[in-house]
Amino acid sequence: MITLDSYNFSGKKALVRVDFNVPLNDKFEITDDTRIRATIPTITKILNDGGSVILMSHLGRPKDGPTEKFSLKHLVNPLSLILGKTVKFAEDCIGDQASELAANLAAGEVLLLENLRFYKEEEKGDESFAEKLSKLGDVWVMDAFGTAHRAHASTAVIGKFFTDKVCGYVMQAELDNAERLLEHSERPFTAIMGGAKISDKILIIERLLDKVDNLIIGGGMSYTFSKARGGNIGNSLLEADKMDLTLELIKKAAEKGVNLVLPVDNLVADDFSNDANKQVVGVGKIPDGWEGLDIGPETIKLFSEIIAKSKTVLWNGPMGVFEFPSFAEGTNAIAETVVKATEENDAFSLIGGGDSASAINNAGYGDRVSYVSTGGGALLEYMEGKELPGVAALRG
């Protein structure tokens, strides 16, 4: 795989696939620019070499072609401010205007293309669409790890139209950190799995059982474990068809000598709302009509003691409905303890994208852990041992 540092972009037009799928409010303002800022070192390296940059990305899930709220034009000014230079914009990602702007791009200039997903061909992995995009640049740089698990036109198929294919800094950091975690982890190694559904995490949990010393389960998925063990979970999240699987995972963990840790108490509410009445109850003792929205104080203490002593920590998924301040304490406490393990116990800590990344960044701890992945689903699939099309395209 060609790395960014081993390639000289002088005189080259670099077609860079980035992940600018950032959240926008109703005024089309970016509410979290983490993904944009993550790509700046890649863009800067190309410009400093004397190359020019053509950026392509998707934004959201537009269903019927061009849509105002999914237009990348809303990113032009913020990106210009971050880069400290005027970014040009093509109102289409292919066609005459895009071709002309790309052809006339001088060294040191940056062009942003309109949303790739305004064309259904992007997600279909259409070859002729990928070929049209490829004609805009001399070299393809893949720096969108967050979409590397999709065999889309711009993330994988496009690779066959380039001789020069380069791995960007975001992509490289994601692969290096995942590799370090899976293959070179110091012990004790603790994985913290949260989020709503166990079905989303089955494969990664099964693989981690061969790697970790401690597996902590929190968040919505923990209620399926609780119900399977005969507990009362009220109106809490439940995947009834996964109850047998949870018992199987508990058994597998015991056979492999892994300390699988479940909540011992929950913070429950009588309504799915920040202002609901709340109380702390023991695990499996949630009253009818109530639902678990966070881990309880004893669970926070139990989880924190294990994490604080760890030398490697993987965290993927919140401990509760952290979007509601009344039920964010568990997630925030885990974030604080991961920081503590990193700073005081010299642990390597990887935050596995999605909601966990939002939680750690919102708490102001993003720069106090070892690595915050922007990968989300791609990171999980990579850790499950799957080959990602966007990675394979760089190697092929």
Side-chain angles (χ1 to χ4, degrees):
M1 195 184 288
I2 302 170
T3 62
L4 213 65
D5 285 337
S6 66
Y7 192 88
N8 188 337
F9 291 88
S10 178
K12 303 271 191 185
K13 287 184 170 65
L15 184 62
V16 188
R17 179 47 159 108
V18 288
D19 183 4
F20 282 178
N21 187 26
V22 293
L24 301 174
N25 63 20
D26 54 8
K27 294 177 183 169
F28 306 120
E29 296 164 335
I30 300 169
T31 55
D32 180 359
D33 64 3
T34 307
R35 286 180 170 176
I36 291 178
R37 290 188 180 277
T39 63
I40 299 305
T42 293
I43 297 168
T44 304
K45 149 73 176 160
I46 296 165
L47 298 178
N48 286 349
D49 275 4
S52 54
V53 173
I54 300 153
L55 299 167
M56 54 179 178
S57 178
H58 72 284
L59 177 62
R61 296 180 179 275
K63 297 216 169 14
D64 304 303
T67 317
E68 174 72 10
K69 71 173 179 176
F70 294 127
S71 174
L72 284 172
K73 70 182 180 188
H74 305 304
L75 275 54
V76 175
N77 287 337
L79 180 59
S80 298
L81 286 169
I82 293 169
L83 272 174
K85 65 166 60 220
T86 302
V87 173
K88 298 183 176 190
F89 182 66
E91 290 165 13
D92 197 347
C93 56
I94 55 174
D96 293 343
Q97 192 206 27
S99 298
E100 194 176 323
L101 284 167
N104 293 325
L105 207 60
E109 290 188 327
V110 179
L111 169 66
L112 175 65
L113 305 176
E114 183 56 285
N115 195 338
L116 296 162
R117 287 191 185 170
F118 284 171
Y119 287 87
K120 287 191 167 41
E121 290 89 337
E122 162 65 2
E123 291 182 88
K124 287 178 181 171
D126 184 86
E127 270 202 32
S128 78
F129 179 66
E131 188 175 14
K132 284 173 189 170
L133 288 170
S134 74
K135 292 191 182 329
L136 300 174
D138 310 310
V139 50
W140 175 54
V141 179
M142 177 57 176
D143 209 24
F145 182 80
T147 57
H149 58 318
R150 310 280 186 218
H152 291 173
S154 68
T155 60
V157 180
I158 196 170
K160 64 178 67 175
F161 299 105
F162 283 96
T163 307
D164 292 0
K165 300 178 280 190
V166 182
C167 179
Y169 286 138
V170 173
M171 191 89 174
Q172 192 180 339
E174 293 277 356
L175 296 172
D176 289 351
N177 281 286
E179 196 69 17
R180 176 175 172 181
L181 187 96
L182 290 172
E183 306 303 334
H184 309 288
S185 52
E186 272 190 78
R187 297 189 174 275
F189 179 176
T190 299
I192 310 151
M193 289 282 139
K197 294 181 175 180
I198 189 164
S199 52
D200 295 340
K201 310 275 171 85
I202 293 165
L203 292 172
I204 182 79
I205 287 173
E206 290 193 324
R207 188 163 191 219
L208 287 170
L209 286 175
D210 290 324
K211 307 272 182 188
V212 302
D213 301 292
N214 307 297
L215 177 60
I216 290 172
I217 305 280
M221 68 166 79
S222 68
Y223 303 108
T224 300
F225 279 86
S226 178
K227 179 82 170 175
R229 297 165 85 202
N232 189 15
I233 64 166
N235 292 344
S236 306
L237 275 175
L238 172 67
E239 286 182 278
D241 61 332
K242 296 291 181 285
M243 290 201 294
D244 288 345
L245 175 76
T246 63
L247 297 175
E248 213 177 287
L249 290 172
I250 291 170
K251 189 176 164 216
K252 272 188 190 170
E255 287 168 357
K256 293 174 186 282
V258 173
N259 179 29
L260 192 149
V261 195
L262 291 160
V264 293
D265 61 351
N266 293 109
L267 182 61
V268 301
D270 62 357
D271 185 33
F272 189 77
S273 142
N274 185 55
D275 304 319
N277 295 308
K278 55 186 184 178
Q279 60 173 319
V280 175
V281 299
V283 73
K285 295 176 181 172
I286 300 175
D288 292 345
W290 292 66
E291 59 187 306
L293 296 187
D294 198 6
I295 52 175
E298 289 303 313
T299 302
I300 289 174
K301 195 175 159 198
L302 171 68
F303 288 2
S304 297
E305 283 171 359
I306 294 166
I307 297 162
K309 293 174 187 165
S310 303
K311 293 296 280 184
T312 303
V313 180
L314 166 66
W315 180 23
N316 184 278
M319 296 294 102
V321 187
F322 75 104
E323 297 89 346
F324 295 156
S326 297
F327 301 97
E329 192 177 339
T331 300
N332 290 340
I334 296 306
E336 284 173 27
T337 312
V338 172
V339 168
K340 187 178 175 187
T342 311
E343 295 180 344
E344 295 179 17
N345 202 35
D346 200 24
F348 172 72
S349 52
L350 192 153
I351 312 304
D355 287 338
S356 318
S358 297
I360 207 114
N361 286 328
N362 291 346
Y365 296 139
D367 56 353
R368 295 175 64 187
V369 293
S370 305
Y371 189 70
V372 179
S373 169
T374 57
L379 180 77
L380 289 186
E381 289 198 20
Y382 188 75
M383 289 188 165
E384 288 163 10
K386 293 177 182 171
E387 181 167 65
L388 307 188
V391 178
L394 282 169
R395 293 194 172 119

